[in-house]
Amino acid sequence: MPMGEEHLAGDILRQAGGLVHGQRNDSYGHPLADLGRTGRLWGALLDEWRRGTDPDVPAELVALCMVALKLSREVHRHGIDNLVDAVGYVLCAARAIEARGADDRAE
């Protein structure tokens, strides 16, 4: 590792560790609970997709999974950023659906 990269890597590791064991843990709870809730929501969202033949998860479904992540975190503890991000991901899903031409709204 070139000089300086080792220092940067150590800084990144310390900052991430501080977040995971501090602020993020306080905001979202233990990763086992936080990611467990999220996994259950993602499982429900991905269930229908898994029955298909396309190995790639469509962009709009990724956006909905991110909405589920934000809702899971909101259930643990309210944070305006969770709600703002969730709405942002819904808007991203809508844009992906429109771009794909899969918008099937009733006229």
Side-chain angles (χ1 to χ4, degrees):
M1 194 177 288
M3 287 293 277
E5 282 187 32
E6 195 171 302
H7 178 71
L8 178 60
D11 287 348
I12 291 169
L13 182 59
R14 278 187 292 283
Q15 185 175 352
L19 290 170
V20 168
H21 295 284
Q23 180 185 355
R24 295 293 193 278
N25 191 69
D26 295 343
S27 296
Y28 309 132
H30 192 281
L32 182 61
D34 175 31
L35 298 175
R37 279 190 312 271
T38 301
R40 287 187 295 281
L41 291 166
W42 284 20
L45 286 168
L46 294 170
D47 184 54
E48 189 66 31
W49 168 80
R50 284 191 296 241
R51 297 175 198 188
T53 58
D54 188 352
D56 297 330
V57 178
E60 57 271 24
L61 189 51
V62 172
L64 293 178
C65 285
M66 295 306 295
V67 169
L69 168 71
K70 292 301 182 172
L71 294 178
S72 173
R73 289 178 171 179
E74 180 65 18
V75 165
H76 176 73
R77 178 170 292 139
H78 169 67
I80 192 70
D81 62 308
N82 293 325
L83 300 177
V84 170
D85 289 351
V87 170
Y89 284 119
V90 167
L91 294 174
C92 288
R95 290 190 67 197
I97 289 166
E98 288 173 352
R100 191 181 303 284
D103 188 354
D104 62 356
R105 290 178 290 185
E107 296 296 322

